[in-house]
């Protein structure tokens, strides 16, 4: 059963998305383990849930825990919480010697359904077109569309649902009409724009189009030198809001205005930085670091964010950009954590000091708590605050989902991935596959790849497919997926080398080649110790793996926070030594 809404169990109502159990409208406190077990059984309404299923889902199949006692205690707590008599249950039944069956699970329907508010209108900002003859403005065009989308998403999330930039990017220079795009994505409005440059002055034109009748609701032209890039975002937001409601409230007006800096050139620099940042950050960090994919985009992004702050030291989004770069360069293995995350924290806190209502700033601080401090509670608080401020921010939902999966809260994690999918339908494929890999559903990853075919999938999807294939022992498929990912990153020589080594000497030779490459890079400069631990795990060299894991722990390597869901270590998780390392991380 797909738990997309609240369900009724005995005298209680379970809301999975809110992670909440209610009786008579009052919240019933329930510990994490009983709640996860309740969600598992509710999702299999009427079906037998064996004890083996429960152990696999809640403890990863660990044979070293007293799971029988824990399960019995959790079942007793669930029965009390939903209002059942533990001695004579009616809904949560014990199947002797097998497991449990949760009966009579019904979708909760209010007695008197209220008049539902209209659903939020769905809006897509298409990539702005570059109409300059002498200057290359494509980066600015993409970033301007991205920032316009972010502004509108924060304006009124109850009334406006923005389709994310990664989906919009699929429609660059498309021959499809607005009507066709609207039908594919279920849109209500589309925003189109173009940027041109003449005699050193940048001119921005935009229009808001209603999809149902192709009517132009608003159009405007601005020059960037006269605060054009900033004003056009404000005008777009106000025009859309005015179309949705009789007036734009003063509170909404302030929410939009505070994202904008005093100096328009600072905003231009931020947009350019965001262009390079988004182009680089959507790679699997382990894969990117392992194959030494270029970090030039990170370097360019940092330069632009620094320029934005130089032009306007009070510009909160500029500090968010720097926090993202400092953290990501460490997470992607470019520098040690100690060189990245203290500065990521400092700049995130500075952004919050300037604007504590900025969702991106809360997300940036959550990333520090998650990847560097390994402080799950504070990270979750910041993720939730970011989502409260902007429920349409898909990046926050994706990263929060990763934290939930690390904590073993798979049902909640999947709900967050679904939330991200609604905000970013076309780009969600890579996020969904990442979640499946983290949760250990490797067969589902491989099956989805066969069903979907190649198409326009990103390098990230192939990186994740390569992982899923290798874990399952499908080495030829793993080689091809790795080569395809590298090819789509422009690493043609490396891709062909891997294919050649596999054809001549087999997969172990490929792994040895990876190891020699890491050793050589380690002599030239910094290389994350976690990369060595991962490759030794893949080579089944446990002693070297543990040696490098100890180094990674001492260094606080960022991806150690996802040790529990890292696929390369799955065969070692039941060992005492590995569990001791997990405890040191904070599990």
């Amino acid at each position: 059963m797909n738990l997309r809404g609240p369900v009724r169990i005995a005298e209680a109502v379970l809301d999975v998305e809110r992670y909440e159990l209610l009786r008579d409208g009052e919240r019933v406190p329930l510990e994490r383990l009983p709640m996860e077990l309740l969600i598992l059984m509710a999702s299999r309404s009427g079906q037998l849930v064996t004890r083996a299923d429960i152990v696999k889902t809640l403890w990863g199949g660990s044979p070293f825990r007293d799971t029988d006692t824990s399960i019995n205690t959790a079942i007793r707590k669930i029965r009390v919480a939903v209002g059942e008599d533990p001695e004579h249950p009616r809904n949560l039944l014990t199947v002797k010697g097998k497991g449990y069956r949760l009966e009579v699970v019904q979708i909760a329907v209010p007695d008197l359904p209220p008049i539902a508010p209209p659903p939020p209108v769905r809006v897509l900002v298409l990539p702005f077109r570059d109409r300059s003859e002498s200057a290359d403005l494509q980066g600015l065009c993409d970033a301007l569309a991205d920032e316009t989308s972010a502004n509108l998403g924060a304006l009124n999330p109850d009334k406006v649902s923005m389709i994310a930039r990664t989906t919009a990017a699929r429609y660059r220079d498309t021959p499809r009409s607005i009507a066709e795009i609207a039908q594919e994505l279920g849109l209500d409005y589309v925003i189109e724009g173009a940027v041109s440059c003449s005699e050193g002055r940048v001119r921005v034109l935009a229009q808001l189009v209603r999809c149902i009748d192709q009517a132009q609701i608003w159009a405007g032209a601005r020059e960037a030198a006269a605060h054009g890039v900033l004003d056009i975002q404000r005008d777009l937001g106000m025009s859309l809001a005015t179309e949705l409601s009789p007036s734009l409230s003063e509170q909404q007006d302030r929410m939009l205005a505070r994202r904008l800096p005093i100096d328009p050139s600072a905003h231009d620099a931020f947009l350019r930085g965001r262009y390079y940042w988004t182009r680089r950050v959507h790679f699997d960090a382990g894969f990117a670091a392992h194959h030494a994919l270029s970090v030039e985009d990170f370097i360019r992004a940092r330069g632009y964010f620094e320029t934005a702050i130089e032009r306007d030291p009070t510009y909160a989004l500029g500090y968010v950009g720097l926090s993202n770069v400092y953290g990501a360069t460490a997470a992607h293995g470019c520098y040690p954590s100690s060189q990245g995350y203290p500065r990521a924290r400092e700049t995130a806190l500075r952004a919050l000091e300037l604007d504590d209502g900025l969702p991106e700033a809360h997300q940036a601080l959550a990333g520090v708590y998650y990847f560097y401090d390994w402080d799950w509670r504070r990270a979750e608080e910041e993720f939730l605050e970011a989502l409260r401020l902007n429920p349409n921010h898909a990046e926050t939902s994706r990263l929060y989902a990763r934290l939930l999966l690390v904590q073993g809260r798979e049902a909640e994690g999947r709900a967050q991935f679904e939330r991200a999918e609604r905000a970013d339908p076309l780009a969600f494929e890579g996020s969904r596959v990442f979640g499946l890999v983290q949760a250990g559903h490797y067969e589902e990853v491989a099956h989805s790849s066969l069903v979907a075919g190649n198409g326009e999938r990103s390098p990230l999807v192939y990186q994740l497919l390569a992982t899923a294939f290798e874990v399952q022992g499908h080495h030829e498929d793993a080689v091809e997926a790795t080569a395809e990912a590298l090819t789509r990153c422009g690493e043609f020589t490396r891709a062909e080398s891997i294919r050649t080594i596999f054809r001549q000497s087999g997969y172990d030779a490929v792994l040895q080649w990876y190891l020699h490459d890491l050793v050589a890079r380690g002599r030239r400069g910094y290389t994350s110790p976690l990369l060595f631990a991962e490759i030794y795990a893949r080579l089944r060299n446990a002693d070297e793996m543990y040696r490098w894991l100890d180094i990674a722990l001492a260094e606080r390597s960022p991806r150690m926070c996802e040790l529990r869901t890292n696929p390369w270590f799955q065969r070692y998780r039941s060992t005492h030594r590995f569990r001791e390392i997990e405890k040191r991380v904070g599990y």
Side-chain angles (χ1 to χ4, degrees):
M1 179 179 181
N2 193 355
L3 300 178
R4 289 190 174 275
V7 295
R8 183 171 295 283
I9 305 168
E11 299 176 6
V13 173
L14 172 66
D15 189 331
V16 174
E17 283 212 14
R18 294 175 62 87
Y19 203 66
E20 202 170 54
L21 187 68
L22 302 174
R23 283 180 64 185
D24 299 324
E26 296 292 328
R27 189 174 185 274
V28 180
L30 196 59
E31 298 165 1
R32 186 187 69 81
L33 188 64
M35 177 65 87
E36 287 292 312
L37 179 53
L38 177 59
I39 291 171
L40 170 64
M41 292 188 293
S43 68
R44 301 187 186 179
S45 173
Q47 299 177 10
L48 173 68
V49 180
T50 67
R51 283 181 169 261
D53 290 336
I54 296 172
V55 173
K56 180 179 179 181
T57 301
L58 300 188
W59 290 283
S62 172
F64 294 94
R65 297 177 184 264
D66 183 10
T67 55
D68 284 342
T69 301
S70 298
I71 292 172
N72 294 339
T73 302
I75 290 292
R76 191 180 312 112
K77 290 180 178 179
I78 291 171
R79 283 174 171 153
V80 172
V82 300
E84 287 219 292
D85 181 353
E87 302 302 324
H88 304 285
R90 291 178 144 189
N91 299 278
L92 177 48
L93 306 176
T94 300
V95 181
K96 200 165 184 180
K98 296 290 185 181
Y100 302 93
R101 180 181 293 113
L102 185 61
E103 299 281 5
V104 194
V105 180
Q106 299 177 340
I107 301 296
V109 179
D111 296 330
L112 295 174
I115 299 175
V121 296
R122 290 169 61 84
V123 183
L124 175 72
V125 181
L126 288 171
F128 284 17
R129 296 179 181 274
D130 181 1
R131 292 184 177 171
S132 174
E133 295 181 359
S134 57
D136 181 7
L137 300 178
Q138 191 57 58
L140 175 62
C141 289
D142 291 348
L144 177 59
D146 179 16
E147 183 62 13
T148 301
S149 180
N151 284 335
L152 293 173
L155 180 65
N156 196 336
D158 293 333
K159 294 185 178 181
V160 182
S161 176
M162 298 302 302
I163 306 301
R165 55 168 179 76
T166 41
T167 292
R170 303 290 182 91
Y171 294 94
R172 180 185 289 109
D173 300 324
T174 180
R176 295 183 180 90
S177 66
I178 288 180
E180 291 172 324
I181 297 173
Q183 185 175 9
E184 289 178 10
L185 299 179
L187 300 176
D188 299 294
Y189 294 88
V190 164
I191 296 171
E192 294 182 303
V195 181
S196 61
C197 183
S198 177
E199 298 180 354
R201 301 182 69 85
V202 176
R203 182 175 174 81
V204 183
L205 303 94
Q207 62 175 348
L208 176 66
V209 179
R210 189 167 57 205
C211 296
I212 191 170
D213 57 1
Q214 311 288 291
Q216 183 187 81
I217 304 302
W218 174 92
R222 298 288 188 276
E223 288 190 357
H227 295 257
V229 176
L230 308 184
D231 287 343
I232 199 162
Q233 292 175 75
R234 189 177 182 84
D235 289 349
L236 283 168
M238 293 179 66
S239 298
L240 182 57
T242 301
E243 177 71 17
L244 300 174
S245 59
S247 63
L248 179 63
S249 71
E250 184 178 346
Q251 180 181 6
Q252 291 171 326
D253 194 19
R254 285 200 304 269
M255 182 184 295
L256 183 61
R258 70 181 173 208
R259 294 179 58 89
L260 307 180
I262 297 171
D263 188 337
S265 65
H267 195 58
D268 287 348
F270 171 76
L271 293 178
R272 294 176 189 273
R274 280 290 299 176
Y275 168 72
Y276 290 110
W277 159 255
T278 55
R279 190 167 75 171
R280 181 64 180 81
V281 78
H282 290 291
F283 287 95
D284 176 72
F287 183 96
H290 187 75
H291 291 282
L293 299 182
S294 172
V295 298
E296 187 173 342
D297 283 344
F298 279 154
I299 296 171
R300 289 183 178 179
R302 176 180 168 179
Y304 280 119
F305 292 142
E306 288 175 340
T307 298
I309 293 172
E310 288 171 5
R311 302 280 173 82
D312 184 354
T314 67
Y315 187 27
L317 275 175
Y319 290 98
V320 169
L322 277 182
S323 181
N324 292 154
V325 169
Y326 289 139
T329 48
H332 281 67
C334 309
Y335 307 104
S337 293
S338 59
Q339 292 186 22
Y341 277 102
R343 301 190 73 180
R345 187 197 314 278
E346 177 186 345
T347 45
L349 290 172
R350 177 57 177 153
L352 287 169
E353 180 184 340
L354 292 166
D355 184 358
D356 62 0
L358 194 62
E360 293 92 337
H362 287 281
Q363 184 209 9
L365 185 58
V368 177
Y369 289 143
Y370 178 50
F371 285 111
Y372 186 60
D373 294 339
W374 306 338
D375 187 334
W376 322 130
R377 180 186 62 80
R378 296 177 76 181
E380 184 167 17
E381 288 174 356
E382 293 298 328
F383 282 133
L384 291 175
E385 180 63 11
L387 289 171
R388 184 188 70 80
L389 292 166
N390 184 2
N392 290 323
H393 199 244
E395 293 297 331
T396 299
S397 287
R398 289 187 183 111
L399 194 52
Y400 181 35
R402 290 169 63 172
L403 179 147
L404 292 169
L405 290 179
V406 162
Q407 291 185 309
R409 296 156 63 181
E410 185 175 344
E412 292 177 87
R414 287 206 173 204
Q416 283 297 326
F417 277 131
E418 289 177 4
R419 187 174 188 170
E421 182 180 19
R422 290 193 292 271
D424 195 354
L426 292 184
F428 183 73
E429 180 187 30
S431 300
R432 181 182 63 83
V433 174
F434 186 89
L436 291 173
V437 169
Q438 276 200 313
H441 300 306
Y442 308 117
E443 291 184 5
E444 189 174 345
V445 173
H447 176 72
S448 66
S449 74
L450 296 174
V451 172
N454 289 332
E456 295 298 323
R457 289 182 298 179
S458 69
L460 172 62
V461 175
Y462 290 99
Q463 297 165 28
L464 298 168
L465 284 174
T467 299
F469 286 137
E470 181 179 330
V471 171
Q472 296 177 94
H474 305 322
H475 293 153
E476 184 174 358
D477 291 331
V479 166
E480 283 306 309
T482 299
E484 185 64 34
L486 292 169
T487 298
R488 292 178 182 238
C489 297
E491 298 290 330
F492 305 105
T493 302
R494 189 175 181 87
E496 190 54 39
S497 295
I498 292 169
R499 285 190 175 110
T500 301
I501 293 169
F502 176 72
R503 285 195 301 266
Q504 293 177 349
S505 306
Y507 202 70
D508 280 350
V510 172
L511 296 179
Q512 288 290 344
W513 186 73
Y514 289 163
L515 175 58
H516 294 154
D517 182 62
L518 281 179
V519 171
R521 283 198 277 132
R523 295 194 189 104
R524 296 193 300 270
Y526 175 77
T527 303
S528 170
L530 185 57
L531 297 178
F532 285 99
E534 288 175 334
I535 192 62
Y536 279 118
R538 295 161 73 182
L539 286 165
R540 295 176 173 81
N541 187 334
D543 289 340
E544 282 297 299
M545 177 195 77
Y546 284 120
R547 184 172 76 86
W548 284 101
L549 281 176
D550 285 337
I551 298 172
L553 269 172
E555 191 181 282
R556 299 193 73 82
S557 293
R559 291 188 300 113
M560 287 292 286
C561 69
E562 294 179 342
L563 190 66
R564 177 175 283 180
T565 56
N566 190 316
W568 305 128
F569 301 111
Q570 65 169 347
R571 65 171 60 91
Y572 303 100
R573 287 192 186 116
S574 61
T575 66
H576 173 75
R577 190 171 178 183
F578 196 85
R579 293 201 313 278
E580 287 300 311
I581 291 177
E582 287 187 333
K583 288 180 182 178
R584 290 165 66 189
V585 174
Y587 293 130

